[in-house]
Each structure stands twice: as C-alpha cells, then as structure tokens.
Amino acid sequence: MVSRVIPVEPFDLVIFGGTGDLAKRKILPGLYRRFIAGQMPANSQIVGAARADLDTDGYRALARAAIEEFVAKDKQDEAQIAAFLATLNYTSIDATGINGWSALRTLMRPGMVSAFYFSVAPSLFGAIAERLHEHGIANPDSRIVVEKPFGRDLATAKALNAVLADHFTEGQIYRIDHYLGKETVQNLMAVRFANILFEPIWKAQYIDNVQITVGETVGVEGRGAYYDKSGAMRDMVQNHMMQLLCLIAMEPPYKFDPNAVRDEKLKVIRALDPVQPADIVRGQYLAGGGQGGYIEHSENPASKTESYIAMKVGISNWRWMGTPFYLRTGKRLRSRASEIAVTFKAPPHSIFGMSDSMHENVLVIRLQPDEGMTLTVMIKEPGPGGMRLTEVPLDMSFAEALGADHADVPDAYERLIMDVIRGNQTLFMRGDEVEAAWAWTDPIIQGWEARGDKPKGYDPGSAGPDDALMLLHRDGRRWRDIR
Ligand code: BG6
C-alpha cells in the first residue's frame, strides 16, 4: 500500500467571516484536526477577521468553544488545543470601509504562503478583493477561497467571476464544492482510472443507467430564508450532484492535474442535454412526525421552492448517448444515504436458458453514511439440482478494508483547505465550469418559474413524491431502494 502525505508549508490564513457559522462548524475545527494530525506547521498563523469587536483572546475563546462543540471528544487534548489556539489572531475589520486593514497588513508575514477565506456574503467579495490589493495585503501568489452559492444563475456567477478577476488570476481562486473533498468522491476517480477493470465497459454500450442519490433526513430548519431563494436545484444539483455526474461521466484526463481534470469535467457539462419538464419531478415536504412542513420554515406561506428533485439527464456524446443518468436529492427523506449506482446491461444471451434469472451487474459507490463499494455478480446457486443462478454482492466497506489507520479520514473541508495551502486546484471548480453548470441549470429553473409549476407534497420520512417513481417506471426501470 502506498501512502504519501504531501507536506504543507507554514502559512498565514485569514478567515473573513471568522466568527460566522461556517468558521465555527467547519473551518476552525477542521484546522484543529489537521494541527493534531501534524499537518499544520506550528509556525502557521490563522487570522480571524470579522466585524465583531473582539480581541485575540476573545477570538481564541470562540475557537475553543467551536472545537469543544464540533470536534470529537477523543480528539480534544488540552495541550494540543492550547498550542493550536496560540496560532490564532484576530482583527476586527470593516469589509467595505477602512477600519482594520492596516492592522491586518501588519499581521501578514512576508514570504509566507497566504490564503484568504471569503466566508462572507458574495456581495462583499468585490470589496474585500479590492481592499486586499489596495492595502498591499495580497501578493501574486496569494490564494482566495470562496464558498457556494457561487451566484444564483449564469448572470450573477459571471458578475462574481468578473469581480474576482479584477484582482486575482484564475490560478489564485479556489471555489469550494465540499463534495469534491469527500473521500469517496475522489475514490470515484481512483476506481475508474487506477483499475483496468471498469474503464473498457464504462460506456453506453455496456451501462444501462446511472442513478445518483443524495438523501438527507434533515429539513431546512433555520435556513428557510436562504433555502427559499435556492431550492434543491440550486442548493444541490447545480453544484454537488453536477460534480458527481462529471466524475462518473468524464473522459480520462491525461494527468491528475487541475486543468486536465477540469477540462474533462467542463466537456461533460457542455454535453448535457436540456432537460424537458416531463423529465423532472419537484417535491416539497409536508408536515408530519410532530414536525412542521417546509412551508412552516419558509418565510413565504405560498412558497413553490422544491426541497426534493428527481430528474433524468442525458449526455450527448459518443460515450454516453442513450444511457440515462437519474438524479435525485431531497430533504426530510427516509434516510441519510448517498450513493452512485451504475447498472450494467444484462449479458446479450443466456447460455443457461434462464434469461429471467439473469440480473444486471450493479456497481454501487456509497458516499455516506458508510463509505464503500458493492458490485453485484451472478454466481451458481450452491448445491445439486442443476444450474441455478443467484446474485451475490462483492461488498467492501472502506473502513473495514483499510483498517483503523484509514478510519479517521479528514473531513471534506480540512482536506480542501490543505489543498489551498499546497496550491492544488484539482478539487476546486474553475470559473468556466461554474458558468457552464449555470448555463444548463438556468433554462430549467426559468421554465418552471414561467409556468408557475408547484412542487408535489411528500411525507417526511418517505422516499419523496410518488411521481418520482414514474420517472423510471415509464422507462421500465426502478429507483434503487435506499435505506
Ligand atoms: C450543502 C447544502 O452545500 O450541502 C445543504 O447547502 C446540504 O443544504 C449539504 O444539507 C449536504 O452536505 P453533506 O456533506 O451533509 O452531504
């Protein structure tokens, strides 16, 4: 087994929005976990920058509370926490004004790798980018990290790209899609391109259909205001699911190199067919199980926002013509389960004369909760009495197969932040990729807005609206059962 962790140089990382929810839940706990894993050099510095009037001690207290709340208890070691907190500084800053910028400049150390995490509303991106330059804080090697939502349609995404491009080159911009930081998502590339087994049959000729499911049990509690303007299409499909689809469908890049990988993903997005209204089912969860429905969390009692979406997507290129990709994602579903299922075609002829007992091989790549892979194969049913076939799973849980050393894999955010410091953009979205994804998404959303389409109600704890079943039934297929 080859295991090689690429070391990280000491760095200055500034978190704009350093007191916000993402910083507390993900960024600071993630950095702490990398610190105790020995990946964050001790002479690195993290600077929280936000509007709040705090001093460094106050910020360290905030970070300590975040670690205590969001890091597993067995990873909380007092000496380590103290050492980590010592790397933290804080500066109170006015993103659109003059306060705080010269203090920030004084904190930055020349010659260090510098990165700026824009964990703030996109409307502040331009002002922050401009001030970083005005005050000579950023240099041509600095990196900036931006979060989703990267725009809400093609026009806004273009405007954001333009604002950032005024001050930073594409090579400096790291657009995060945290799905790309998930272990199994990267494993998709390993499975496809580090084995000879699958790639020769990875095409419409041998693959009947692909199903991508991202099921969640949570609702939109507390995020109603954001979510209502977004819906499942903007929140999950345009970014996370699109990335999964790209990694499954793309051609082999010539190299595992940022632009080589992103060029191939872009080609997939550009080859996506426009989706017809009949190929989409939208849903909105109803009240049930003692909890309010979507409407109760929305600020609009007549909201037509979807909390569930299922769709059939086609890719018009040589590899995929004729293989449907079925996507579904939703909140308040029966289980938190995400997987990609690739169903191969049945053998063209059964020499056993029992064509009805021939099942298709299915390769399932599980993203969560239990990361792993299953391949179903047909074998002979043991015992005498003639040749009877049965289907068995070749099942592999990554945690079991790889053992304890690998059970504690970094969370998506920690991995991605370390990639920023390493200067590796492979797992980040390029500007043209984001724009192409919106160019495909926009007409779909505009279509249902123009028609005034309402989502179908579905019961919490169910598998989504019944209409989603029809999407596959009419093609003679079924969704896989997700538990
Ligand atoms: C976020 C969405 O990007 O991804 C959330 O805004 C969603 O609505 C979340 O719940 C899902 O991420 P994960 O890692 O829990 O699958």
Side-chain angles (χ1 to χ4, degrees):
M1 189 183 299
V2 183
S3 173
R4 189 165 53 93
V5 176
I6 303 167
V8 172
E9 282 178 51
F11 57 85
D12 281 343
L13 170 67
V14 179
I15 311 170
F16 292 106
T19 55
D21 205 48
L22 186 72
K24 290 196 271 200
R25 278 175 188 279
K26 296 286 181 188
I27 308 175
L28 291 166
L31 285 163
Y32 167 73
R33 280 190 294 259
R34 289 299 87 208
F35 180 84
I36 59 173
Q39 262 205 10
M40 183 178 143
N43 56 340
S44 299
Q45 172 186 221
I46 299 162
V47 181
R51 191 187 290 268
D53 190 15
L54 281 178
D55 58 11
T56 291
D57 283 344
Y59 193 59
R60 289 179 180 168
L62 174 147
R64 175 185 285 279
I67 292 168
E68 283 168 3
E69 183 170 358
F70 297 111
V71 173
K73 292 277 175 271
D74 62 348
K75 296 264 172 333
Q76 296 186 21
D77 173 87
E78 186 42 45
Q80 298 269 34
I81 294 179
F84 173 74
L85 294 179
T87 69
L88 261 57
N89 269 310
Y90 182 79
T91 174
S92 162
I93 214 156
D94 180 359
T96 54
I98 51 166
N99 289 343
W101 292 96
S102 46
L104 178 58
R105 186 179 171 188
T106 320
L107 286 172
M108 304 302 288
R109 299 167 299 167
M112 285 282 166
V113 170
S114 59
F116 301 92
Y117 203 125
F118 289 20
S119 181
V120 294
S123 54
L124 295 176
F125 288 1
I128 296 179
E130 201 174 312
R131 277 162 187 73
L132 285 174
H133 274 268
E134 237 171 54
H135 294 270
I137 300 171
N139 62 52
D141 186 44
S142 297
R143 291 126 214 201
I144 61 168
V145 186
V146 291
E147 271 293 324
K148 84 175 246 284
F150 198 84
R152 60 184 322 273
D153 52 20
L154 179 58
T156 47
K158 277 189 168 167
L160 282 179
N161 275 336
V163 155
L164 297 178
D166 278 345
H167 299 287
F168 295 94
T169 63
E170 183 62 34
Q172 295 180 280
I173 304 172
Y174 291 70
R175 295 177 195 78
I176 284 207
D177 183 313
H178 80 280
Y179 265 57
L180 288 177
K182 287 183 191 273
E183 188 73 7
T184 317
V185 175
Q186 292 168 65
N187 235 323
L188 271 175
M189 285 186 276
V191 166
R192 285 193 60 193
F193 305 129
N195 298 287
I196 191 71
L197 222 52
F198 300 111
E199 207 44 32
I201 53 168
W202 206 257
K203 52 174 91 160
Q205 197 183 344
Y206 299 108
I207 293 185
D208 179 75
N209 75 92
V210 176
Q211 296 184 16
I212 307 179
T213 302
V214 177
E216 299 189 274
T217 49
V218 290
V220 296
E221 306 81 358
R223 299 172 77 213
Y226 151 76
Y227 197 88
D228 217 38
K229 294 197 186 59
S230 165
M233 187 70 177
R234 289 189 172 98
D235 187 51
M236 296 295 289
V237 177
Q238 186 272 346
N239 36 68
H240 306 326
M241 299 195 78
M242 176 75 80
Q243 291 297 324
L244 299 179
L245 177 98
C246 284
L247 296 181
I248 301 164
M250 72 183 183
E251 296 301 314
Y254 79 95
K255 198 176 171 187
F256 191 58
D257 158 274
N259 280 329
V261 170
R262 297 183 301 176
D263 286 346
E264 297 307 335
K265 287 197 291 168
L266 180 61
K267 286 187 212 160
V268 174
I269 304 175
R270 290 195 170 142
L272 294 179
D273 294 338
V275 182
Q276 303 309 317
D279 289 337
I280 302 191
V281 174
R282 297 165 69 227
Q284 194 184 72
Y285 63 82
L286 303 166
Q291 293 187 322
Y294 179 83
I295 283 297
E296 275 84 23
H297 299 292
S298 161
E299 287 169 359
N300 172 7
S303 172
K304 291 180 187 155
T305 300
E306 76 285 354
S307 60
Y308 173 97
I309 191 160
M311 62 202 304
K312 176 180 171 182
V313 179
I315 304 177
S316 282
N317 63 18
W318 274 49
R319 188 186 279 264
W320 292 116
M321 200 62 209
T323 296
F325 284 69
Y326 298 104
L327 275 46
R328 62 177 164 163
T329 182
K331 303 228 176 266
R332 263 305 146 68
L333 295 179
R334 187 185 306 151
S335 50
R336 177 173 191 259
S338 303
E339 62 162 50
I340 296 161
V342 178
T343 302
F344 292 90
K345 291 187 172 164
H349 164 66
S350 168
I351 64 164
F352 308 106
M354 302 175 272
S355 50
D356 51 343
S357 61
M358 300 279 281
H359 291 266
E360 300 92 356
N361 303 115
V362 185
L363 174 69
V364 179
I365 301 156
R366 287 189 306 275
L367 267 58
Q368 45 206 30
D370 159 38
E371 304 194 319
M373 243 170 64
T374 304
L375 177 65
T376 58
V377 291
M378 299 302 292
I379 61 158
K380 175 189 171 299
E381 211 175 279
M387 178 64 94
R388 290 184 313 275
L389 301 177
T390 188
E391 185 186 63
V392 290
L394 296 180
D395 207 349
M396 184 176 87
S397 145
F398 292 151
E400 276 172 31
L402 299 174
D405 284 357
H406 290 260
D408 187 28
V409 291
D411 158 65
Y413 273 91
E414 334 174 9
R415 175 190 311 270
L416 293 175
I417 295 171
M418 289 298 124
D419 276 358
V420 173
I421 306 296
R422 290 190 191 100
N424 185 346
Q425 289 187 304
T426 311
L427 299 176
F428 295 83
M429 290 177 299
R430 209 167 53 191
D432 51 1
E433 219 184 310
V434 178
E435 288 184 13
W438 281 122
W440 176 79
T441 313
D442 274 6
I444 302 173
I445 298 177
Q446 283 157 5
W448 68 56
E449 281 175 355
R451 290 187 303 272
D453 287 357
K454 286 199 192 114
K456 313 270 175 197
Y458 63 94
D459 289 325
S462 70
D466 290 342
D467 289 34
L469 301 177
M470 287 312 298
L471 204 59
L472 272 75
H473 276 183
R474 57 170 208 212
D475 293 348
R477 301 189 175 96
R478 314 181 19 227
W479 288 108
R480 279 176 43 81
D481 256 350
I482 304 273
R483 285 176 207 294

